[in-house]
Amino acid sequence: MTKFLPFLKNNNNIQGYDIQMTLLRGRDLVAKDRHLITRQRTTSDPYVEVFLGIDQRLGKTRTISKNCINPEWNEKFTFHIENNKKTGVIFLKIYDEDVLTDADLMGTLIVPIPQQIITKWYPVETVFGQNATGELEIQFEVTPIKSTNVRFSGQRMLESITPSPDT
């Protein structure tokens, strides 16, 4: 299995990582809805499902119902990754919401979680979404969580330090 994040290596000083991902906007996404008169595909009502890896669902964005291919979500997803977890990617599925039928898959993305604060445009992949186009702008903020374990000489370990209720 490929590790996408070097910072997920076993590190005794790091317990895990708090990650905030903000799905900012999309541009030039594929149009899935047909115009009533011309029957040409001209718009979509997009929303995005967000997963940690391929199986841990983190949630979904609201649907942008303005019939657009350039949606603006500006929605935050916050989650924690343990230091020993192998998953260092976010999997996104972009859908066009339909009232009378099932949602249409517009495309997917697999995005490696970066080590630092970054805002970047990621291209939509065509692996699962036929005729997928466009890209999503995503911002990541990654905060390492230090372990409370303290090593003393003689290899004794203090497991945790809990303040007294009197302090």
Side-chain angles (χ1 to χ4, degrees):
M1 170 182 249
T2 303
K3 290 184 181 179
F4 292 96
L5 291 175
F7 70 82
L8 287 178
K9 291 179 183 174
N10 191 9
N11 183 334
N12 292 333
N13 296 330
I14 302 295
Q15 178 182 350
Y17 301 87
D18 285 335
I19 299 169
Q20 179 175 292
M21 183 199 88
T22 305
L23 183 52
L24 298 168
R25 71 188 108 251
R27 69 177 169 202
D28 301 326
L29 300 179
V30 65
K32 289 288 191 173
D33 294 337
R34 292 183 187 272
H35 188 274
L36 291 175
I37 297 171
T38 66
R39 302 301 296 155
Q40 291 181 335
R41 295 184 189 275
T42 57
T43 63
S44 290
D45 303 306
Y47 68 90
V48 179
E49 288 187 344
V50 180
F51 297 83
L52 177 58
I54 59 170
D55 58 354
Q56 184 181 344
R57 189 173 189 267
L58 298 174
K60 74 173 213 143
T61 66
R62 69 189 185 287
T63 300
I64 305 299
S65 301
K66 296 187 272 184
N67 294 324
C68 79
I69 57 172
N70 297 307
E72 292 200 22
W73 291 286
N74 199 28
E75 293 190 32
K76 296 181 186 322
F77 297 87
T78 303
F79 54 98
H80 180 81
I81 296 180
E82 293 297 323
N83 190 30
N84 60 358
K85 190 162 177 118
K86 302 275 189 248
T87 300
V89 297
I90 298 294
F91 180 53
L92 301 113
K93 294 181 183 180
I94 309 165
Y95 288 97
D96 169 47
E97 186 171 287
D98 291 322
V99 176
L100 300 175
T101 61
D102 290 339
D104 299 316
L105 184 64
M106 297 172 66
T108 59
L109 287 91
I110 296 175
V111 179
I113 300 170
Q115 296 181 44
Q116 72 279 354
I117 296 174
I118 187 171
T119 302
K120 182 177 172 183
W121 286 95
Y122 296 90
V124 176
E125 300 165 0
T126 59
V127 176
F128 299 107
Q130 187 179 25
N131 302 323
T133 62
E135 51 193 349
L136 297 182
E137 186 180 25
I138 302 170
Q139 180 181 62
F140 285 95
E141 294 182 36
V142 179
T143 306
I145 305 301
K146 301 263 186 196
S147 175
T148 58
N149 293 341
V150 179
R151 286 199 181 269
F152 295 100
S153 59
Q155 296 301 314
R156 293 184 328 195
M157 172 116 32
L158 179 61
E159 291 299 325
S160 64
I161 301 172
T162 307
S164 163
D166 298 333
T167 57

